[in-house]
Amino acid sequence: MDLILQQRQELKLLMTSQLRQSIELLQYSTNDLEQLIRQQELENPLIELQESDRWAQIEKLPSFQSARNSAPLFQATTINFRDQLIQLVHLSFKENEIKKLLEYIISHLDYKGYLEIDGIESPYSTEQLTKGIKLLQQICPAGIGARSIAECLLLQINSHDPEYPMLKELIGHYLPLLAENKWKIIARKMNCSVAQIQKYNDLIQRLNPRPCILSNSETTEYVHPDIIVENQEDELIFYLNEHYLPKIHLNEYYLNTSFTNLEDKHYIHNHYKNYRWLVSSIEQRRHTITQIMHVLIKKQLPFFRNGLSSLVPLTLKEVADEIGMHESTVSRATSNKYVQTPAGTFEMKALFTSKVLTNDGKQISQEKVKTLVKQIIQKENKHQPYSDQKISEYLNTEYAIRIARRTVSKYREELKIPTASMRRKWQ
């Protein structure tokens, strides 16, 4: 075999690290983008940040300046409900043994208020723990300290409705069957009517399976909208919610400094490229989101005025074709972002929905079909609820929407609506 040296010219598209980062930046929410900007400031000496006017005005306040160098103006006070229970025990009981028993029970409550001691060697017997739970019911919400959901419900029954012995039997022995709505089987086993079981079931529905939420460490998560849509003079306008983002400026001191060391020149040159990449990528992200929102405002005008029930069918590809971009670009630009509208705050992805064809060739969104399914179930006869097949036939007859039974079942599960047998009420 002869060795031959050849020259060949090729054109290749290489995915550079900065190009990859620019694509990832499209998926960032506004909060994530702020963190990226501040991180770049720490790493790049050519980047200077100017805080937004909102923060600049706050920093000028004397109270902010004094608090900046001292303790915070406000300190968050967290209420430890477990400590409150222990304080209540010390106020209510005098015997040290009882206090120690109740403190042990309170210290082993899970976040729902149940006693969680499985796998733990307890210094107290089952009888002592039962006695302690009964004492705890005298000063705490009924059901706290229970070791199971059945015990939790029974403790509440004893507190509110002690005159129902059959109800206690139902909770103690047939709670799994009750959860499956097998009322006929329960009625036959308990030698009573199905109507009585339904009456007891209604009573159980009023009880609280989580009598005491002890976890105060969970903080409420607030949605920060990335885009805000407002109705001004009967016209919809939108803007990117970026008022708190710092402005990026170039520190020209290092650029104007002459370096004799080649390594220093290379260092400054690379950071200058990173600065230009950051500014360009943020502007490209802003331009892409703005283009997408212009199309969404035009295509989803009924949604922005009335909410999800008026959502029209719209796919990522349709928006991509409208603005001359790839479908994957639209997908990334709409990820992890929320839109605040006059009808509420929604994920940006929620504005895209598949289409369902009606018998007359018209298109209707999946969200509209889900709304119709929910309305049909709400208006049904609870003694004879519609099956998924019946709902499918009803949609075809009344609304000319032809969808399969399994599709109705999928929509019903997404709406968290139980099956017909679980919805049935006995006469």
Side-chain angles (χ1 to χ4, degrees), residues 278-289:
L278 180 63
V279 174
S280 174
S281 298
I282 292 175
E283 187 57 36
Q284 182 61 41
R285 172 186 177 275
R286 186 180 293 116
H287 176 68
T288 303
I289 296 174

Side-chain angles (χ1 to χ4, degrees), residues 66-99:
S66 60
R68 198 169 182 175
N69 302 319
S70 59
L73 286 176
F74 302 100
Q75 283 190 339
T77 56
T78 57
I79 300 174
N80 192 324
F81 193 64
R82 205 182 298 271
D83 291 341
Q84 287 186 346
L85 293 180
I86 293 177
Q87 291 177 6
L88 194 58
V89 165
H90 283 272
L91 291 173
S92 304
F93 300 98
K94 297 180 179 180
E95 297 83 356
N96 288 331
E97 290 299 324
I98 293 179
K99 290 180 182 178

Side-chain angles (χ1 to χ4, degrees), residues 218-284:
E218 297 180 2
T219 57
T220 304
E221 293 186 5
Y222 296 93
V223 171
H224 185 91
D226 301 274
I227 304 103
I228 296 178
V229 180
E230 294 180 347
N231 194 353
Q232 292 187 1
E233 298 180 356
D234 204 30
E235 181 181 357
L236 289 176
I237 65 167
F238 75 91
Y239 55 90
L240 302 186
N241 190 18
E242 298 180 346
H243 63 277
Y244 61 92
L245 288 182
K247 296 179 181 178
I248 304 174
H249 295 289
L250 176 64
N251 186 345
E252 297 183 357
Y253 170 78
Y254 292 102
L255 289 180
N256 297 330
T257 303
S258 58
F259 296 96
T260 57
N261 190 323
L262 185 61
E263 185 177 349
D264 292 340
K265 290 182 178 181
H266 185 67
Y267 176 83
I268 295 298
H269 176 71
N270 286 340
H271 280 300
Y272 180 66
K273 285 175 57 180
N274 290 338
Y275 159 79
R276 294 185 59 184
W277 162 81
L278 180 63
V279 174
S280 174
S281 298
I282 292 175
E283 187 57 36
Q284 182 61 41

